[in-house]
Structures are given as structure tokens and as C-alpha cells.
Amino acid sequence: MTSSKVDLWLDRLRQSNHALVLLFFLSMLEAIIIPIPLELILIPYMLLERERIWLLATVALAGCMAGALIGYGVGQLLFDSVGHWFIAQLGAAEEFEAFKQTLQDDGFLAVFMVGVTPVPFQVAMLAAGVTGYSLSMFILASMLSRGIRYYGLAVLVLLFGERASRLWQRHARTVGASLLALALLVVGWQYFGS
């Protein structure tokens, strides 16, 4: 999409009475199946709607949590049929198996870290459901990590305005990888430092 088409689409979104509903569903779909980061829409939309920026972050978080619950349910109830197919479509079979083991060893931290790193969140949802990981701990870890993601974007937009999109694109993977490295250090210290 060209820049003018994106601007036109964002302007239509801004004028729509259903913009928040659409944002909720886009966030839910991103959590479940869409491999395109919501930030591509959310950052420019937050720039246009600064007066509602916290509401936009909250709606994005709510949509993501709805998607997370659906993914957990698919992992718990339908993994043998739908879940296997979905993991194959993502090309994430190795990540899924590795994450299942990590989830059993360090459940809360594992789910939390997937929420803020470039690892597909779908892997965490399905693995948590398959392994029967505590639903309440899954929700808490997901809400905290994705809350950091969406409210962090709101802060980024408020602080840096138009530059927020460029900053996010340039540093998103670095921040995610740094958080993952920090988590691995904490887990390593927990096992070997005590």
C-alpha cells in the first residue's frame, strides 16, 4: 500500500463509528493468525488519535487477550486437528516443541517473554493449552507482556510523535531480543546461581 492509500484508510478508520471494534478484531486476529504486526496500523492510528491513545492501547490489549484465550482453547481442545495444522502453517514446529519444554520449566516467565519478543505468540497460546498450563497464570503473563507492548507504544508515540514508527521499526527486534536475553540470564541465575 502506498503512503497516500494508508493515509486515506487511516482517515476512514478515524471517522468510523466502528473504529474501536475494528481495532479489537484486528488485534484479536493478529494474536491468533495474522503474521503482520498490529503496530503497522496502531502507531499511525495513535498518532492521529492522541487524545484517545490510552483507550486505543486498552482496546488493542483486550483484542489480543480475546485472541489469546481462543488460542489457548484451541491448544487445549483442538490441538490434534487444528493446532498441528496451524503450527505447520506457521513453520514453527521446532519453536513449538522447544517452547513446550520451556513452558514446563519456567511457565510464567516463558509466556511473558513470548509476549514481548519476536517469537510468534501463537506458539505460546497453543503450547499453554496443550500442556494444561494454568489458565489464570497464562492470562496474567499475557496481559502483562502485551500490556507493556501496547502501552509502551502509546508512550513512544506521546514522547516521539512521528518518529515513533521509525523508532519501533528500527529497534523492535533489538528490544525483544534484549528482553529475551535478560530472561535467560534470570532463569540461568535461578538454576545455577543459587
Side-chain angles (χ1 to χ4, degrees):
M1 238 192 257
T2 64
S3 178
S4 61
K5 287 183 182 180
V6 171
D7 292 341
L8 181 62
W9 189 85
L10 285 169
D11 191 47
R12 285 184 185 163
L13 178 65
R14 186 178 189 191
Q15 295 176 21
S16 171
N17 293 331
H18 308 290
L20 295 177
V21 173
L22 180 60
L23 178 60
F24 176 89
F25 282 107
L26 286 173
S27 182
M28 183 178 73
L29 289 173
E30 186 227 8
I32 299 170
I33 58 173
I34 298 176
I36 300 169
L38 184 65
E39 288 85 352
L40 295 177
I41 296 167
L42 192 56
I43 291 174
Y45 192 44
M46 285 178 164
L47 285 166
L48 291 173
E49 294 281 347
R50 288 183 193 207
E51 66 281 353
R52 298 190 322 162
I53 200 164
W54 302 112
L55 176 61
L56 297 178
T58 302
V59 169
L61 178 60
C64 181
M65 294 311 301
L69 288 172
I70 291 168
Y72 183 96
V74 167
Q76 191 171 48
L77 304 172
L78 302 171
F79 187 76
D80 290 335
S81 56
V82 177
H84 276 297
W85 172 84
F86 188 70
I87 291 294
Q89 294 303 309
L90 280 175
E94 287 181 31
E95 290 96 339
F96 179 76
E97 289 304 319
F99 186 77
K100 275 181 21 184
Q101 183 59 49
T102 304
L103 184 63
Q104 290 173 350
D105 296 341
D106 301 301
F108 184 86
L109 185 60
V111 173
F112 178 83
M113 292 314 300
V114 167
V116 294
T117 61
V119 176
F121 193 55
Q122 295 87 351
V123 169
M125 297 182 307
L126 292 171
V130 166
T131 62
Y133 182 69
S134 165
L135 179 59
S136 60
M137 294 304 286
F138 170 74
I139 291 170
L140 180 61
S142 299
M143 189 172 279
L144 288 172
S145 63
R146 291 302 174 134
I148 289 170
R149 177 182 177 189
Y150 297 127
Y151 292 109
L153 283 176
V155 169
L156 188 69
V157 168
L158 289 174
L159 292 176
F160 297 102
E162 295 289 332
R163 296 181 313 178
S165 184
R166 290 188 305 276
L167 287 168
W168 175 80
Q169 289 173 350
R170 190 177 318 142
H171 300 291
R173 288 196 181 272
T174 304
V175 170
S178 298
L179 287 171
L180 181 59
L182 179 63
L184 293 173
L185 286 172
V186 169
V187 169
W189 180 77
Q190 177 184 352
Y191 287 118
F192 302 112
S194 302

